[in-house]
Amino acid sequence: MQLLKSHTSTLCRRAYPLRRPAVFSCRRDIRRYCTRPEVLMSEDEAAARHDSTALLLDADDDHYDGKIISSAGLPADPALFGRRLAASLAAWGTGSTRGVWLRLDSAQSGLVPVAVQQGFEYHHAERDYLMLTRWLPTSAPCTLP
């Protein structure tokens, strides 16, 4: 792993001082300290530089070999959400995951078309959220309630 030094790095030179001197192990660490806006990487760039698990959405396991995607950690950008959702479904589809539950709060309604395009179906809705589901195994009938 290449270490990026505070004032000798090509990312952040003396003309763009750091908030505090440090040695960085990756570009993600430099984002906290560098005041130069061009240095900041997008989430896509950071994920591409790190392992593929960085692309997966945060999800908890349920008692029936399923996943419940946390609505708190979802990206607001529909394109980024779509890429991360596709990567997550591909990773979970190769494992033992059967059903995926996606809860979207009313403020996240812009993500609904992206989820539906990727095979999610409406399960139920309440005043402040919408629950979508997707059954992953193609060889078994859907047993979601």
Side-chain angles (χ1 to χ4, degrees):
M1 178 183 303
Q2 176 187 1
L3 294 180
L4 304 174
K5 295 185 180 174
S6 62
H7 291 291
T8 59
S9 170
T10 58
L11 293 176
C12 201
R13 299 178 189 224
R14 290 182 190 167
Y16 300 96
L18 297 172
R19 292 184 197 139
R20 68 178 188 178
V23 176
F24 303 105
S25 60
C26 68
R27 290 179 186 220
R28 183 179 289 179
D29 293 340
I30 206 169
R31 291 193 304 183
R32 292 189 195 126
Y33 305 109
C34 188
T35 57
R36 184 175 166 200
E38 296 85 341
V39 172
L40 303 179
M41 289 187 294
S42 69
E43 188 172 341
D44 287 341
E45 292 169 333
R49 293 183 185 273
H50 298 285
D51 62 354
S52 61
T53 58
L55 287 174
L56 299 182
L57 295 171
D58 293 331
D60 296 321
D61 295 323
D62 68 8
H63 297 292
Y64 305 100
D65 294 328
K67 296 281 186 187
I68 303 169
I69 298 175
S70 170
S71 63
L74 295 178
D77 177 38
L80 179 59
F81 170 70
R83 288 191 297 273
R84 290 185 63 192
L85 181 61
S88 299
L89 293 173
W92 298 332
T94 61
S96 62
T97 302
R98 297 164 46 105
V100 179
W101 297 81
L102 174 62
R103 178 183 167 147
L104 296 174
D105 296 330
S106 57
Q108 298 167 316
S109 62
L111 304 179
V112 173
V114 177
V116 170
Q117 283 179 335
Q118 295 197 26
F120 278 83
E121 298 175 349
Y122 296 97
H123 187 270
H124 68 273
E126 295 292 331
R127 182 173 296 246
D128 56 344
Y129 74 92
L130 171 69
M131 185 66 76
L132 301 165
T133 60
R134 167 126 186 240
W135 185 251
L136 294 180
T138 57
S139 59
C142 178
T143 57
L144 294 174

